[in-house]
Amino acid sequence: MAYSARGLPYFWVMQRKINTLIITAVLTLLAMTSIQAYLIYNTYELKKDAFINETKKAISRIDDETEMVVETSELWGQVFSELLWEYRFKGLSKNQFIEELKKEKDSFSRAFNKLYQEELKKSDLGYEIKFKKNIYSIMVMDSMQIDTVAIFSKERPLFVLGDDFEESQAYTISQARWQTDYTALDADGIEKTVEFRVHTRDRMNISEWQRIVLGRMAALLAGSVLLLLFVVGLFYYSIKNLIKQKKVADVKTDFINNITHELKTPLATLGIATKSLKKPEIKQSPEAFENTLNILDRQNTRLQKLIDQVLTNSLGSEELTLKKEQVVDEEYIMNGIADFSLSVQDKNVSFTTSIEPKEVLLTIDTFLFTTALFNILENAIKYGKESVAIAIETKLSNDRYEIRISDNGVGIPREHLPSIFDKFYRVTSGNVHDVKGLGLGLYYTKQVIDAHQGTIDVESEPDRGTTFSITIPTN
Ligand code: ADP
């Protein structure tokens, strides 16, 4: 296992670094989103204010400059004053006064609204506005005291002119607290003056103002969302890449551990054998000498094989050049099994075959294809139990020839299945294994099958066994 300067395993340090990075990225994103949301909200409020001010201006212009509107307003003011005069001097009750005011509202509003909407059309705002006048309080001033005629709450004011709408959806255009007086002659021809104070507000309602304001912010909103998506994408891509790199680094560390382990044994044996060759008792016994030479030879071959394996797989082996030839399926497979059996004579291995259909011509690079099949067969033994049973079945369907090789070995846990064809990949990575290997066998096999335009798949159940199925085209 590789260790960091502080004595912690590298993969652990890396994992912690990646976790920290993910947390930092998520927090940064959250902070960024919050700031963005805050800025957008502020812009929204500003735009809303600007929009409402713009509308207010247009309305004020109508209110102040359009003669007919001004006249209608004034006329209403006149009626209001008269009614209040009647309340003060002709015995109209408070309720009657309010009722009368309400009656006037209908006739005035009709004319007023018509005028108002006509004027609005002229200012070409592009959206609908409703307007109304509310009264909040009416007081009659006496030299002695103040007489409160009516007081209305902010939520439920007295609507007296215009077009009614919900108070919650209204904006104040202007408010007025006017104090004035009105003089008229009573029945006896005596001049009487009522002095009063009224609190009114002009309120407006803009239909769909939210849609309009949001519409004006569309470019900003779209830009922000795109930017955010881009940053999320960037984070995602970077972290994914980092995890991938970590995986590659882990695999390389494993490989170095494995190859060191693999090289040590033959080298140690070579060392001992060479030393023993120098011993006089070995020199004198031709049999012992021969034996030691055999050991040297075997270990040398093993080292050679190991180095060859590493070289083939590390030096641009992706571009395999095939020397194809035609072979008859049954003959090729049976010969292959016979050759393989020879090399595993000393082990408890049994083969069953079912070559169906026979006499199919396969166009393959026999040397490479045999190596690929032998890698699978070797694994069946390496990862097998005491007695190994290997079954080989073949099938032809739709111009594709399938070879299935099953064993009764230890099997491969499901989570490792997608990776076993990867370069240097070994199950239980991170440890030096009981079973020797470099994680190159299946990688090489897949390269060879790919070069034949074939496919290789694996199914496995831990403790029950593994099945590899290879298909190649027959034409
Ligand atoms: P190596 O055998 O050198 O480790 P391979 O590429 O041949 O490399 O195999 C990759 C991994 O797949 C092995 O480490 C082993 O764990 C698993 N494996 C391959 N074949 C079998 C099998 N028949 N039964 C169980 N495990 C297998």
Side-chain angles (χ1 to χ4, degrees):
M1 200 181 288
Y3 284 87
S4 74
R6 275 195 288 161
L8 298 167
Y10 262 126
F11 68 88
W12 201 63
V13 173
M14 271 299 278
Q15 191 58 50
R16 226 175 41 181
K17 272 189 189 166
I18 290 176
N19 286 348
T20 317
L21 197 78
I22 292 175
I23 293 170
T24 319
V26 170
L27 289 180
T28 314
L29 268 177
L30 280 181
M32 249 182 66
T33 317
S34 316
I35 293 175
Q36 193 94 337
Y38 173 73
L39 290 178
I40 288 178
Y41 176 73
N42 266 357
T43 316
Y44 173 76
E45 286 290 312
L46 284 177
K47 290 249 179 210
K48 183 175 106 184
D49 287 349
F51 171 70
I52 286 172
N53 278 336
E54 207 175 282
T55 317
K56 270 187 198 171
K57 245 188 231 163
I59 288 178
S60 304
R61 196 188 49 73
I62 297 174
D63 281 350
D64 301 340
E65 294 170 16
T66 315
E67 237 166 71
M68 290 288 280
V69 175
V70 175
E71 262 171 33
T72 317
S73 264
E74 279 176 1
L75 214 60
W76 176 81
Q78 169 81 18
V79 169
F80 176 84
S81 304
E82 279 168 13
L83 280 174
L84 206 57
W85 190 91
E86 282 182 24
Y87 159 76
R88 178 78 174 83
F89 300 112
K90 279 180 78 178
L92 208 66
S93 75
K94 282 183 186 176
N95 276 347
Q96 281 171 326
F97 165 73
I98 301 286
E99 284 313 310
E100 286 301 316
L101 205 58
K102 279 185 185 167
K103 270 186 215 156
E104 295 298 337
K105 172 192 74 188
D106 292 337
S107 55
F108 271 102
S109 294
R110 219 167 297 134
F112 183 85
N113 287 339
K114 197 163 165 269
L115 280 170
Y116 208 85
Q117 291 305 331
E118 273 169 15
E119 282 307 312
L120 270 178
K121 243 181 224 152
K122 281 187 209 155
S123 44
D124 205 16
L125 280 173
Y127 45 85
E128 266 179 41
I129 304 172
K130 285 181 184 170
F131 168 91
K132 71 172 172 181
K133 192 186 276 296
N134 288 336
I135 289 184
Y136 295 83
S137 66
I138 308 166
M139 286 169 196
V140 170
M141 329 286 282
D142 204 308
S143 51
M144 311 294 284
Q145 61 183 31
I146 296 174
D147 171 19
T148 307
V149 182
I151 282 198
F152 301 93
S153 69
K154 237 174 130 184
E155 293 74 30
R156 302 187 61 186
L158 180 67
F159 156 55
V160 286
L161 187 66
D163 211 347
D164 202 11
F165 46 84
E166 282 276 323
E167 270 309 303
S168 58
Q169 285 167 19
Y171 281 89
T172 300
I173 306 168
S174 61
Q175 67 172 330
R177 288 170 201 277
W178 33 286
Q179 189 164 344
T180 185
D181 51 38
Y182 175 75
T183 309
L185 296 176
D186 73 358
D188 307 328
I190 303 168
E191 236 179 36
K192 284 186 173 164
T193 300
V194 60
E195 194 182 342
F196 57 92
R197 190 192 283 175
V198 186
H199 178 198
T200 63
R201 274 191 187 140
D202 290 349
R203 306 268 277 166
M204 67 176 174
N205 166 275
I206 309 165
S207 64
E208 299 185 306
W209 68 267
Q210 270 157 327
R211 195 184 55 77
I212 296 164
V213 173
L214 287 177
R216 289 181 183 186
M217 289 173 64
L220 180 78
L221 283 175
S224 298
V225 169
L226 280 182
L227 205 71
L228 210 69
L229 285 181
F230 179 72
V231 173
V232 169
L234 212 66
F235 270 136
Y236 174 76
Y237 179 75
S238 311
I239 290 171
K240 210 176 119 186
N241 242 350
L242 200 79
I243 291 172
K244 203 166 125 192
Q245 273 177 17
K246 176 190 173 293
K247 238 184 178 173
V248 172
D250 286 353
V251 162
K252 285 205 169 138
T253 316
D254 283 351
F255 169 71
I256 290 170
N257 293 339
N258 289 333
I259 191 127
T260 317
H261 181 78
E262 291 283 285
L263 291 174
K264 257 187 196 160
T265 330
L267 278 177
T269 323
L270 277 177
I272 296 166
T274 325
K275 257 185 213 148
S276 57
L277 275 185
K278 289 181 187 155
K279 289 182 186 160
E281 64 267 29
I282 302 274
K283 278 185 189 161
Q284 276 151 23
S285 152
E287 205 178 306
F289 193 79
E290 176 76 23
N291 255 347
T292 320
L293 275 187
N294 280 343
I295 293 176
L296 277 177
D297 192 37
R298 272 205 306 276
Q299 295 308 323
N300 184 38
T301 316
R302 204 168 141 200
L303 273 179
Q304 193 62 50
K305 248 176 100 176
L306 261 176
I307 288 166
D308 279 351
Q309 206 187 3
V310 175
L311 281 182
T312 5
N313 287 290
S314 1
L315 299 177
S317 57
E318 282 83 3
E319 287 163 31
L320 287 174
T321 37
L322 303 180
K323 283 189 217 102
K324 283 190 179 173
E325 55 188 301
Q326 286 203 324
V327 291
V328 179
D329 65 335
E330 186 176 27
E331 191 185 326
Y332 167 73
I333 289 170
M334 293 319 280
N335 284 347
I337 293 173
D339 286 352
F340 185 76
S341 310
L342 270 184
S343 63
V344 291
Q345 263 171 344
D346 50 336
K347 301 205 172 80
N348 186 0
V349 187
S350 65
F351 290 94
T352 48
T353 53
S354 145
I355 311 297
E356 244 258 318
K358 299 171 173 91
E359 305 282 306
V360 177
L361 276 184
L362 303 175
T363 315
I364 52 174
D365 181 320
T366 43
F367 176 74
L368 293 179
F369 205 82
T370 310
T371 315
L373 293 181
F374 277 21
N375 281 345
I376 295 177
L377 294 174
E378 270 164 18
N379 279 349
I381 293 167
K382 265 161 73 178
Y383 305 104
K385 299 178 185 158
E386 280 104 72
S387 79
V388 179
I390 301 175
I392 299 170
E393 276 172 72
T394 69
K395 214 163 55 184
L396 178 72
S397 60
N398 297 333
D399 287 344
R400 292 193 78 83
Y401 195 79
E402 184 185 9
I403 306 171
R404 289 171 71 84
I405 304 175
S406 314
D407 66 44
N408 59 342
V410 296
I412 305 166
R414 178 190 278 270
E415 66 270 24
H416 293 284
L417 286 177
S419 313
I420 58 162
F421 297 107
D422 292 352
K423 205 172 188 176
F424 303 135
Y425 193 88
R426 306 203 70 210
V427 177
T428 54
S429 50
N431 286 319
V432 176
H433 304 248
D434 302 339
V435 181
K436 289 172 190 147
L438 296 175
L440 288 172
L442 287 181
Y443 168 73
Y444 188 65
T445 299
K446 186 164 164 44
Q447 298 294 308
V448 172
I449 304 298
D450 285 349
H452 282 84
Q453 267 90 48
T455 60
I456 178 162
D457 291 305
V458 61
E459 292 157 40
S460 185
E461 213 178 307
D463 237 23
R464 308 291 300 262
T466 307
T467 303
F468 287 92
S469 74
I470 295 172
T471 63
I472 48 163
T474 46
N475 48 359

